[in-house]
Amino acid sequence: MSNNVTTVSSPWSAFSGPNLGYVMEQYDLFLQSPEEVEPELVSLFQQFGAPVEVEGDVAVVSGSAAPAGDYKKVLAAVKLADVIRTQGHLAADIYPLKNRALQTAQIEESAFNLSPADLAEIPAAIFFKDVPAGVKNGKDAIDFLKSVYTDKVAFEYGHVVATEEREWIQAQVESGSLKQALTSDEKKALLDRLTRVENFEKFIHKTFVGQKRFSGEGLDTQIVLFDEILKTVEANNVENVRIGMAHRGRLNVLTHILNKPYDMMFSDFAHVSNDLFMPEHGRLEITKGWTGDVKYHMGASYTRESGMNVKLAYNPSHLEVGNPVVLGATRATQDDTSKPGQAVHNPAKGLGILVHGDAAFPGQGIVTEVLNYSKTEGFSTGGTIHIIANNMIGFTTELQDSRSSVYSSDPAKGYEVPVVHVNADSPEAVSQVGRFAASYRQKFGKDIVVDLIGYRRHGHNETDDPTVTNPETYKLVAKHETIRALYGAQLVAEGLVTAEEVAALDSAIYAEMQVAYDHVKEMAEKDEHKHVEMPEELKINFPQIDTAVGAERLETINEELLVFEQNFEPQKKLGKILEKRRDAFASAKIDWGHAETLAYATIIQDGTPVRFTGQDAQRGTFSQRHLVLHDKNNGNVFTPLHHISGASASFTVHNSPLTEAGVVGFEYGYNLEKGNVLSVWEAQFGDFANMAQVMFDNFISGARSKWGQKSGLVILLPHGYEGQGPEHSSSRMERYLQMSAENNWFVANCSNAGNYYHLLRRQAAMLETEGVRPLVVVSPKSLLRHPLAAANAEQLANGAFQEVIEQPGLGSKTKSVERIVLGTGKVMIDLADRVKDGEGFDHLHIVRVEQLYPFPTTQVADIIAKYPNVKEIVWVQEEPKNQGTWNYALETLYELSEGKKLRYVGRPAMSSTSEGDADSHKAAQSALIEEAVAETVKVN
């Protein structure tokens, strides 16, 4: 058959006679048992439907129909096309340094026993739903597919399950939509952009020699990628974009995406206050703390002329840990919390963009934690655009030591996330990919990964010499032209500009940077070098806030919480438990979960939205909360707090994915973005927060002092020694106390449900004030239902949060008291249970310290002063001596004791948090309780 074949309208034209009969038999089998049909035929059936006999469909210049048996060549050609689509990326020109061997053997015709002549015999319609222009036969089709799948952009989307998504991606690639040509003006603008990006780095490199900046050179087109993504989503009316990235290339992003002016950036290197260079238009915002941070950790917020706000999140050096923080902030931009019921989520309002390092993406587990959020109810953000800033190296570590996969992007495949690899030396291709990625996210509401493959022009930082450890790579880098130079040469070759114009543009922009730096030097004389001071509101240890609500209001709420929607039937046992809350309100037996629910009800009535998350948060780990009820007959859910009269804000509670670091970071980011929301995260057990320690260390404890970021996040950490072993006893409160300073947060350990109620209300009232700060609550387990920890309606209605609580029944005979026992939390209820009404314990007074940080020194001192004959101050705790509160409180206790004997009562120092055996626990607990209340001083 001649190669001169017209385009056919049916793929089945390739089959005739016995071939067609065989294919029709296979179609019948496909309808019944598709697994028994050859995969290639299945693909054809799925794409084109039932085979039909075609007459006059193919115009042939000479020759005859394909001979019997050639259907195998047709199927081989289909398979070849499929391999090009799925494995063409392995042969694509995506490595600027060309230092990776390309794999082409699998996409050669010979691998399928095909020749060019064989392919030419096959109609093009076999390969496409819509045959591209100029493609006349199978040979043209294969050549075309190779041209689009092995160029400067490579695609991996075969792992995407949804047919609609795969077909959309394929159509974008093969229809030519992706390779939309740039106009002459757009190309010139692109050259200008690249020249600015390069000269910014070059100017700093030459002017501030040896100062760290973590240059983005080698991935200059990252700015181009951002430009196109933002332009695309801006046209789709996205209102907010939240960006997260580590330090490499960050200064360029701040300058060219967040529009931080050149002089403002250079002032940070010159140690001149950047406040002197803040633009007057008011669209750029930055925050500062009083301790500050290095320049390549800082963020900014910029509102574009369209009104779309773009923020780059502040980020520590811990690479990927900012990811969940950014996604939490993104979700907050999408949630409407202004109405009763659950917050209304609209993902069209905001977009999250995360920039990852190529070593960090597969290396840091937090990455896959946030990939898992994509379709979860409480943590979805409608699709994140992930950019891998791929330097092909991690500090000094080559990929063979860095990962076990072909690409750094491979972890994303497990979440059905399409991956686009693009050569960073190809600015126009990068621009096209930016539009493609943003369009995919907007259309399907899913994550997508752009693997921007380049190199790192310098060492890990500007004082590091990479030739020491990576000599071969850096021989290539030294010879490699910059992206700007390469693109300039391309435009010269195209006749759009001259070489002289390219050089003049380079010189002019560098001179512009020099002018900006000269301005910095001029303004240096006006710099008063004032340091940011801690706000006065943060110096207040004990905010006096009225948290009373009124008994009638509480009583109405209590009744409304027990009204279910029509035909709703909770599980029988739970129904009885909830019904008891009616009696409990009247009989002063309001337990922890009950008091907490009443607190949330009053808070949303006051107009403050609540967002509560954690593993099993809806029911509560200890079956104590029951914020969301399930119908025993059909599983339908009902949230009583959505039906409180007078509520003027949302109440949202989500069971979270099984990740502590990811969820704590997410909730922290959410709270940063929506400071009016009472955001609460609960650990399943307090010690599980160990997994989120980086979030406390690098964000929650110090973000205000480092970056000026205010947060009112509430952290609940179940804690208490009940013989459940080392992993279910201690929240490691000592870690939070060790980080306590400068009134950075509250740390509380309540022993009473009513006090907890007022603590939550106090926290809600402090939101969006200068004095706001996070709250760490060492929350109970056994006290959740303990009668001695219960509250009464009067306490809730007219009380307030008490930093210290004196034990009822003790201390009335002031001259008889010789020992004052201080402690906190659940052990104090154990003591209360031991002393009962106080009879026989005239020598003793017990004081519960409910707020540990800031320590209520004045209140405790006033109590001690009431007892003139006190001989010793005792600190009692359940935790081992090297843990818990003792070491934190010791200095303050020493001052408070004023020469009196100061003693510790509790477990000895231990490397573990507790005993693992219940009997051993019981003996140790009993011993410390007896020692605490004993009249005779024992020697340790």
Side-chain angles (χ1 to χ4, degrees):
M1 183 183 286
S2 167
N3 287 349
N4 189 13
V5 182
T6 64
T7 302
V8 297
S9 60
S10 170
W12 307 117
S13 303
F15 302 96
S16 62
N19 289 330
L20 183 58
Y22 172 78
V23 171
M24 294 176 82
E25 289 175 4
Q26 289 295 298
Y27 184 74
D28 290 337
L29 180 60
F30 165 74
L31 294 176
Q32 298 177 23
S33 306
E35 70 280 356
E36 296 181 23
V37 181
E38 293 170 273
E40 292 75 30
L41 269 179
V42 170
S43 177
L44 286 176
F45 295 149
Q46 289 174 335
Q47 187 168 348
F48 298 106
V52 293
E53 191 164 0
V54 180
E55 295 181 6
D57 215 16
V58 182
V60 183
V61 174
S62 63
S64 59
D70 279 2
Y71 78 88
K72 288 193 176 293
K73 289 192 179 294
V74 176
L75 297 188
V78 171
K79 188 170 185 178
L80 170 59
D82 183 56
V83 169
I84 293 170
R85 288 177 171 122
T86 58
Q87 298 184 40
H89 58 89
L90 296 170
D93 183 14
I94 53 177
Y95 301 103
L97 297 181
K98 301 190 183 302
N99 55 345
R100 293 286 298 276
L102 303 184
Q103 300 175 35
T104 59
Q106 75 276 11
I107 60 170
E108 298 297 338
E109 291 87 340
S110 57
F112 297 87
N113 296 316
L114 292 168
S115 68
D118 292 330
L119 291 171
E121 297 287 337
I122 299 171
I126 280 285
F127 305 96
F128 307 98
K129 279 187 174 179
D130 298 301
V131 179
V135 175
K136 297 185 174 66
N137 57 41
K139 176 66 168 65
D140 291 346
I142 294 301
D143 290 345
F144 172 80
L145 289 174
K146 286 184 179 180
S147 74
V148 295
Y149 283 103
T150 66
D151 199 8
K152 303 289 186 181
V153 183
F155 300 87
E156 293 186 272
Y157 61 94
H159 55 280
V160 176
V161 171
T163 302
E164 181 189 0
E165 292 178 40
R166 290 198 314 276
E167 290 182 347
W168 184 86
I169 295 171
Q170 185 171 315
Q172 291 288 306
V173 176
E174 297 176 17
S175 69
S177 298
L178 179 70
K179 287 194 172 183
Q180 196 172 19
L182 274 63
T183 66
S184 297
D185 287 343
E186 286 173 334
K187 290 184 177 186
K188 290 177 183 177
L190 190 50
L191 177 62
D192 182 275
R193 193 67 159 157
L194 291 170
T195 305
R196 290 183 176 280
V197 169
E198 180 180 303
N199 274 287
F200 174 75
E201 300 282 9
K202 190 164 62 177
F203 185 86
I204 295 174
H205 194 68
K206 291 182 178 179
T207 307
F208 305 104
V209 178
Q211 285 204 44
K212 290 182 183 180
R213 72 180 189 280
F214 295 98
S215 155
E217 292 165 276
L219 289 171
D220 309 55
T221 45
Q222 180 172 256
I223 300 299
V224 175
L225 186 59
F226 268 119
D227 284 341
E228 291 305 316
I229 291 170
L230 295 178
K231 194 187 304 179
T232 303
V233 299
E234 196 168 35
N236 283 304
N237 300 314
V238 169
E239 297 173 9
N240 295 281
V241 177
R242 299 295 175 258
I243 301 170
M245 66 183 299
H247 38 287
R248 182 157 311 286
R250 188 181 186 90
L251 298 185
N252 226 313
V253 171
L254 279 167
T255 302
H256 292 112
I257 301 301
L258 279 298
N259 291 291
K260 196 172 177 181
Y262 292 135
D263 51 9
M264 197 172 185
M265 287 302 308
F266 297 152
S267 70
D268 289 335
F269 285 90
H271 306 292
V272 177
S273 173
N274 62 22
D275 291 338
L276 298 170
F277 309 95
M278 180 67 77
E280 294 181 359
H281 53 60
R283 300 205 305 272
L284 176 69
E285 295 179 18
I286 60 174
T287 59
K288 294 180 180 180
W290 52 93
T291 63
D293 201 351
V294 291
K295 61 187 77 67
Y296 39 81
H297 289 174
M298 305 304 279
S301 170
Y302 182 76
T303 301
R304 291 158 67 105
E305 290 185 2
S306 68
M308 184 173 80
N309 179 258
V310 181
K311 280 184 185 177
L312 176 65
Y314 294 74
N315 200 91
S317 281
H318 291 57
L319 298 176
E320 304 290 335
V321 298
N323 294 351
V325 177
V326 171
L327 294 191
T330 304
R331 175 63 182 247
T333 69
Q334 301 168 347
D335 277 359
D336 180 357
T337 59
S338 64
K339 300 177 186 66
Q342 183 157 304
V344 179
H345 182 216
N346 180 3
K349 285 183 170 289
L351 166 69
I353 304 174
L354 297 177
V355 182
H356 311 270
D358 53 302
F361 193 84
Q364 300 274 302
I366 195 74
V367 174
T368 50
E369 290 183 25
V370 300
L371 285 171
N372 186 50
Y373 290 165
S374 179
K375 294 296 181 182
T376 59
E377 183 180 339
F379 300 85
S380 169
T381 56
T384 301
I385 298 177
H386 301 267
I387 299 169
I388 297 179
N390 196 336
N391 300 291
M392 303 290 287
I393 195 169
F395 201 159
T396 66
T397 304
E398 302 276 11
L399 64 89
Q400 64 268 18
D401 292 316
S402 179
R403 64 175 188 264
S404 300
S405 58
V406 175
Y407 297 112
S408 59
S409 55
D410 284 343
K413 292 181 188 175
Y415 295 90
E416 298 175 39
V417 176
V419 178
V420 187
H421 309 277
V422 58
N423 189 319
D425 267 6
S426 303
E428 293 181 24
V430 173
S431 177
Q432 293 156 359
V433 166
R435 289 195 296 273
F436 170 84
S439 298
Y440 173 87
R441 185 269 178 185
Q442 292 299 98
K443 183 173 180 63
F444 296 106
K446 274 189 59 183
D447 289 22
I448 185 168
V449 171
V450 176
D451 183 15
L452 182 67
I453 301 178
Y455 55 91
R456 190 185 68 200
R457 184 156 289 277
H458 305 291
H460 175 67
N461 59 58
E462 285 62 44
T463 63
D464 181 53
D465 182 358
T467 63
V468 173
T469 49
N470 310 94
E472 294 302 309
T473 297
Y474 279 89
K475 286 177 187 175
L476 297 174
V477 171
K479 298 174 186 175
H480 195 74
E481 289 276 20
T482 67
I483 296 172
R484 177 204 62 83
L486 291 170
Y487 192 59
Q490 177 187 323
L491 298 193
V492 169
E494 292 178 9
L496 286 179
V497 293
T498 65
E500 291 75 19
E501 288 171 329
V502 173
L505 178 65
D506 189 34
S507 298
I509 288 177
Y510 192 88
E512 186 180 327
M513 309 244 173
Q514 184 63 56
V515 169
Y517 180 49
D518 290 344
H519 182 222
V520 172
K521 290 189 286 186
E522 291 169 10
M523 295 295 288
E525 297 176 4
K526 299 180 180 180
D527 186 6
E528 298 178 5
H529 295 286
K530 289 183 178 179
H531 294 289
V532 179
E533 296 291 332
M534 181 195 294
E536 287 299 317
E537 292 85 350
L538 274 190
K539 297 176 182 178
I540 301 171
N541 283 351
F542 307 105
Q544 299 301 310
I545 295 173
D546 183 7
T547 54
V549 293
E552 288 185 12
R553 178 177 161 193
L554 279 173
E555 191 170 351
T556 300
I557 291 171
N558 197 59
E559 288 299 320
E560 290 178 341
L561 288 169
L562 298 173
V563 177
F564 307 142
E565 62 186 357
Q566 190 173 7
N567 298 323
F568 184 90
E569 245 189 303
Q571 186 249 14
K572 189 174 181 180
K573 183 178 178 182
L574 174 58
K576 291 180 178 178
I577 291 172
L578 294 175
E579 185 60 31
K580 285 182 179 178
R581 289 186 174 180
R582 178 175 283 113
D583 298 331
F585 190 81
S587 60
K589 295 179 181 177
I590 300 171
D591 67 21
W592 210 273
H594 189 182
E596 180 184 62
T597 305
L598 292 169
Y600 293 143
T602 63
I603 288 167
I604 60 175
Q605 282 183 334
D606 291 341
T608 297
V610 175
R611 176 182 165 91
F612 191 142
T613 67
Q615 295 153 29
D616 315 295
Q618 293 180 345
R619 189 201 75 171
T621 299
F622 312 101
S623 198
Q624 85 281 8
R625 183 167 289 121
H626 303 297
L627 293 174
V628 177
L629 311 179
H630 297 257
D631 193 305
K632 71 175 187 179
N633 300 310
N634 51 32
N636 290 344
V637 297
F638 177 72
T639 304
L641 280 165
H642 289 170
H643 305 276
I644 299 298
S645 61
S648 56
S650 64
F651 176 81
T652 303
V653 55
H654 291 292
N655 289 336
S656 73
L658 193 63
T659 155
E660 288 80 24
V663 174
V664 171
F666 191 99
E667 297 309 323
Y668 171 73
Y670 193 101
N671 183 249
L672 284 183
E673 186 68 35
K674 263 191 172 9
N676 66 316
V677 175
L678 183 68
S679 298
V680 184
W681 176 76
E682 181 178 59
Q684 194 174 68
F685 283 86
D687 59 314
F688 292 177
N690 287 352
M691 297 294 289
Q693 197 65 43
V694 64
M695 297 302 169
F696 297 104
D697 288 352
N698 292 86
F699 289 101
I700 300 170
S701 68
R704 187 78 180 270
S705 64
K706 288 192 293 186
W707 307 322
Q709 292 192 306
K710 292 184 286 188
S711 166
L713 180 64
V714 179
I715 305 291
L716 304 182
L717 305 175
H719 174 100
Y721 282 58
E722 288 100 2
Q724 295 187 56
E727 272 68 64
H728 293 97
S729 296
S730 175
S731 67
R732 305 310 299 252
M733 69 170 86
E734 62 274 5
R735 295 180 180 173
Y736 305 95
L737 293 171
Q738 184 187 39
M739 290 185 280
S740 296
E742 299 181 306
N743 287 329
N744 59 330
W745 53 23
F746 295 112
V747 180
N749 189 6
C750 298
S751 63
N752 176 272
N755 219 26
Y756 173 56
Y757 165 93
H758 286 289
L759 180 62
L760 288 175
R761 285 190 47 78
R762 184 183 79 171
Q763 187 70 5
M766 290 181 64
L767 298 173
E768 296 195 295
T769 68
E770 281 299 308
V772 69
R773 62 202 82 170
L775 167 63
V776 179
V777 181
V778 183
S779 59
K781 302 194 300 288
S782 63
L783 299 194
L784 293 172
R785 298 176 181 84
H786 200 297
L788 293 180
N792 59 56
E794 169 64 21
Q795 181 186 7
L796 302 190
N798 299 314
F801 177 68
Q802 296 176 273
E803 288 86 8
V804 296
I805 296 176
E806 296 183 68
Q807 176 62 37
L810 293 183
S812 58
K813 298 178 180 179
T814 56
K815 293 184 179 179
S816 299
V817 173
E818 296 184 345
R819 175 188 296 182
I820 294 178
V821 174
L822 300 168
T824 186
K826 175 250 174 188
V827 71
M828 306 311 285
I829 297 298
D830 288 350
L831 287 172
D833 200 26
R834 175 68 180 84
V835 300
K836 305 298 183 190
D837 59 3
E839 187 176 348
F841 292 96
D842 290 349
H843 70 285
L844 181 69
H845 193 34
I846 296 175
V847 180
R848 306 177 198 171
V849 181
E850 301 281 288
Q851 179 172 282
L852 294 170
Y853 183 80
F855 196 90
T857 307
T858 302
Q859 290 93 320
V860 173
D862 288 346
I863 293 171
I864 293 174
K866 291 191 298 184
Y867 301 99
N869 297 322
V870 169
K871 294 183 174 60
E872 59 180 357
I873 306 295
V874 172
W875 183 266
V876 62
Q877 67 179 39
E878 303 175 293
E879 302 80 18
K881 192 174 186 179
N882 57 325
Q883 298 164 39
T885 313
W886 170 246
N887 285 326
Y888 155 75
L890 182 56
E891 185 175 345
T892 300
L893 293 171
Y894 180 77
E895 293 173 359
L896 287 169
S897 65
E898 294 183 329
K900 303 175 182 68
K901 182 168 183 174
L902 178 61
R903 293 185 56 233
Y904 164 83
V905 171
R907 286 172 170 80
M910 296 165 60
S911 55
S912 176
T913 52
S914 77
E915 307 86 1
D917 174 69
D919 290 338
S920 298
H921 155 79
K922 188 175 180 180
Q925 193 77 2
S926 177
L928 71 88
I929 293 297
E930 291 305 319
E931 184 178 353
V933 301
E935 195 164 354
T936 306
V937 175
K938 294 184 178 180
V939 179
N940 284 334

